Amino acid sequence: MAFVKCSSSKNIKKEDAFLYYGKTQCLGKCPVFDMYVFKDGKVIYEGFKNVSKLGLHEFSIKAEEVEKIKQELEKVDFSTKEKLTRDFPNTVLKFKGKRLAIQKNDKVKKLMFLLEKIKI
């Protein structure tokens, strides 16, 4: 996968992203970050805690990667409600106005694999 640094992306609005993917805090050393993926392949990543890159980073992914992510997102059941425990990090996805917060990523294993590949 190739990453391209975006230099002219200051006008990008996070609200325009087709996907939000983030991880919340836990009581241990869990990674905490926000990632916004746009239809044109632009990605805004902000690392907050326990990640290799802290702060705001912008880059692009290939159209094929965006399409694979979209295909996997269409398979996700956003109506799933999981009992969340404060001790564990939540994986949060927002897509097409729907929000899913889960702790057991096995329901979205292939999607998580694709998203983790683009996370810096």
Side-chain angles (χ1 to χ4, degrees):
M1 177 172 306
F3 298 114
V4 180
K5 180 80 172 140
C6 300
S7 58
S8 62
S9 53
K10 297 205 186 284
N11 296 329
I12 296 175
K13 295 179 186 170
K14 292 176 182 175
E15 306 84 51
D16 295 337
F18 83 87
L19 170 66
Y20 164 80
Y21 165 50
K23 294 272 189 169
T24 64
Q25 292 191 128
C26 68
L27 297 179
K29 294 195 176 238
C30 303
V32 181
F33 64 87
D34 290 337
M35 185 167 70
Y36 300 86
V37 181
F38 298 83
K39 290 179 183 176
D40 65 357
K42 287 186 176 70
V43 177
I44 296 175
Y45 170 88
E46 190 164 8
F48 299 106
K49 191 175 180 184
N50 303 316
V51 293
S52 60
K53 296 260 186 178
L54 293 172
L56 191 63
H57 302 273
E58 299 174 11
F59 55 92
S60 291
I61 59 174
K62 295 180 180 181
E64 303 87 56
E65 297 299 319
V66 173
E67 191 54 38
K68 287 178 187 176
I69 291 168
K70 283 182 188 176
Q71 289 172 3
E72 286 304 312
L73 278 165
E74 294 294 343
K75 298 175 187 176
V76 174
D77 180 5
F78 279 82
S79 66
T80 301
K81 299 294 179 212
E82 186 177 307
K83 184 176 178 168
L84 304 175
T85 308
R86 189 173 83 100
D87 299 356
F88 298 103
N90 296 330
T91 297
V92 180
L93 299 168
K94 294 179 186 175
F95 177 66
K96 290 187 176 180
K98 300 174 192 163
R99 182 182 187 277
L100 178 66
I102 56 175
Q103 291 176 335
K104 297 176 185 154
N105 293 341
D106 54 323
K107 296 176 185 176
V108 291
K109 193 174 190 174
K110 191 168 182 183
L111 175 63
M112 288 297 103
F113 175 76
L114 293 170
L115 293 173
E116 286 298 315
K117 278 181 22 180
I118 65 172
K119 193 181 81 170
I120 55 174

